[in-house]
Amino acid sequence: GAGVSQSPSNKVTEKGKDVELRCDPISGHTALYWYRQSLGQGLEFLIYFQGNSAPDKSGLPSDRFSAERTGGSVSTLTIQRTQQEDSAVYLCASSLGESKIYGYTFGSGTRLTVV
Amino acid sequence: RKEVEQDPGPFNVPEGATVAFNCTYSNSASQSFFWYRQDCRKEPKLLMSVYSSGNEDGRFTAQLNRASQYISLLIRDSKLSDSATYLCVAANTGNQFYFGTGTSLTVIP
C-alpha cells in the first residue's frame, strides 16, 4: 500500500480482555517496529522485526505483550489480560532495511482505551 | 538518564519569527539523527535527517554537534502551519530509534 496501515484506529476494551492490533507495512519494507505513546509522553519502543524474526523485543513491558509477523509483511501485537495502564496510542512503523539512513514511516496508530 | 532529552516548551512565537530547538543525546555511539514533526493526535512524520555537516531544507536547518552531543533545529520565517510538536531522534548501532518527548511550538498570528 501507499503507507503504513493500522487497524483498528480506535479500540475500547474492558480490563482483563485480550486485544489484537494489526499493522500492514509499506510494501517492500523489511523492517517493522512497534512503539506506544501515552498521553504527554514520548514514544516507547516495544519490538522490532526484520523480516519475520524479532531480533529486539526488549521493549515489551511484560509477558502479557507479544507480537508476530508473518510473510515478512503484516504484524499483529497482542495484549493479553489488558490493564488500564495499557491505554495508549500504539504506533507501527516500517522502513527499508537501513532505517538509520531513511528513517521510519509511521502508521496513524491504534488508540487503545482500557476501561 | 533518558537517551534523548528535549526542552518540552511550549514555545509561542509570532509569525515570521525565527525559533530554535535543541536536544541532547546520551549515547556517544549514536549514529544517525532525525527531526520528526507530530501534529495533535496524529502520527509522527519525518521532517528531516541531521547530517554531521549540517543541512538545510527550505526554512529548516538542522545541526549536529558530536562533541557536545546535541542536535538543533532552526526554523526561519515561522508559519502558522509550523505549529506542532517537534521530536528529536537518535539511532544507535542497532535499528532502534530513541525519541525525545518533543518540543511544542505554537506560531501566533
Side-chain angles (χ1 to χ4, degrees), chain A residues 35 37 48 99-100 104 107, chain B residues 31-32 36 38 43 95 97:
Chain A
Y35 282 77
Q37 187 174 32
Y48 152 60
S99 61
K100 291 189 287 293
Y104 297 167
Chain B
Q31 296 185 331
S32 302
Y36 275 73
Q38 186 171 26
E43 73 274 20
N95 272 291
F97 283 13

Side-chain angles (χ1 to χ4, degrees), chain A residues 46-114:
Chain A
L46 298 178
I47 188 169
Y48 152 60
F49 286 93
Q50 182 61 43
N52 290 336
S53 64
D56 187 352
K57 51 180 80 171
S58 61
L60 294 177
S62 75
D63 59 7
R64 296 186 296 104
F65 288 72
S66 63
E68 65 174 15
R69 189 180 186 194
T70 54
S73 181
V74 172
S75 176
T76 54
L77 176 69
T78 302
I79 309 173
Q80 296 178 307
R81 305 181 303 281
T82 51
Q83 303 294 313
Q84 287 186 327
E85 62 263 28
D86 300 334
S87 296
V89 177
Y90 288 80
L91 290 159
C92 175
S94 69
S95 72
L96 294 172
E98 285 298 319
S99 61
K100 291 189 287 293
I101 296 174
Y102 301 110
Y104 297 167
T105 300
F106 282 93
S108 54
T110 294
R111 186 173 300 275
L112 175 66
T113 304
V114 182

Side-chain angles (χ1 to χ4, degrees), chain B:
Chain B
R1 183 180 176 186
K2 290 182 180 177
E3 292 276 344
V4 176
E5 299 210 50
Q6 294 181 251
D7 177 353
F11 285 69
N12 299 314
V13 302
E15 265 187 296
T18 295
V19 62
F21 309 135
N22 290 328
C23 94
T24 58
Y25 59 95
S26 61
N27 187 345
S28 60
S30 294
Q31 296 185 331
S32 302
F33 307 89
F34 303 89
W35 282 100
Y36 275 73
R37 170 195 170 126
Q38 186 171 26
D39 292 286
C40 188
R41 298 178 72 87
K42 298 286 190 182
E43 73 274 20
K45 294 187 177 177
L46 179 64
L47 179 64
M48 60 196 301
S49 303
V50 185
Y51 302 128
S52 296
S53 54
N55 49 299
E56 189 172 307
D57 183 1
R59 297 181 293 109
F60 298 83
T61 300
Q63 298 274 359
L64 168 64
N65 184 320
R66 284 196 181 272
S68 301
Q69 293 183 208
Y70 80 80
I71 70 173
S72 64
L73 177 69
L74 182 79
I75 306 175
R76 290 181 298 278
D77 188 23
S78 300
K79 310 292 184 192
L80 296 177
S81 56
D82 294 334
S83 297
T85 296
Y86 291 83
L87 305 173
C88 171
V89 183
N92 61 12
T93 53
N95 272 291
Q96 184 183 146
F97 283 13
Y98 294 94
F99 287 80
T101 52
T103 299
S104 173
L105 171 67
T106 300
V107 181
I108 302 164

Side-chain angles (χ1 to χ4, degrees), chain A residues 4-71:
Chain A
V4 178
S5 177
Q6 290 188 247
S7 61
S9 54
N10 281 284
K11 177 71 177 179
V12 180
T13 190
E14 291 180 353
K15 179 181 171 182
K17 301 276 189 176
D18 298 352
V19 294
E20 270 193 5
L21 312 181
R22 176 188 166 105
C23 173
D24 199 344
I26 292 172
S27 178
H29 279 196
T30 56
L32 185 148
Y33 310 81
W34 284 98
Y35 282 77
R36 73 176 176 181
Q37 187 174 32
S38 302
L39 189 63
Q41 302 296 312
L43 276 78
E44 177 188 2
F45 169 79
L46 298 178
I47 188 169
Y48 152 60
F49 286 93
Q50 182 61 43
N52 290 336
S53 64
D56 187 352
K57 51 180 80 171
S58 61
L60 294 177
S62 75
D63 59 7
R64 296 186 296 104
F65 288 72
S66 63
E68 65 174 15
R69 189 180 186 194
T70 54

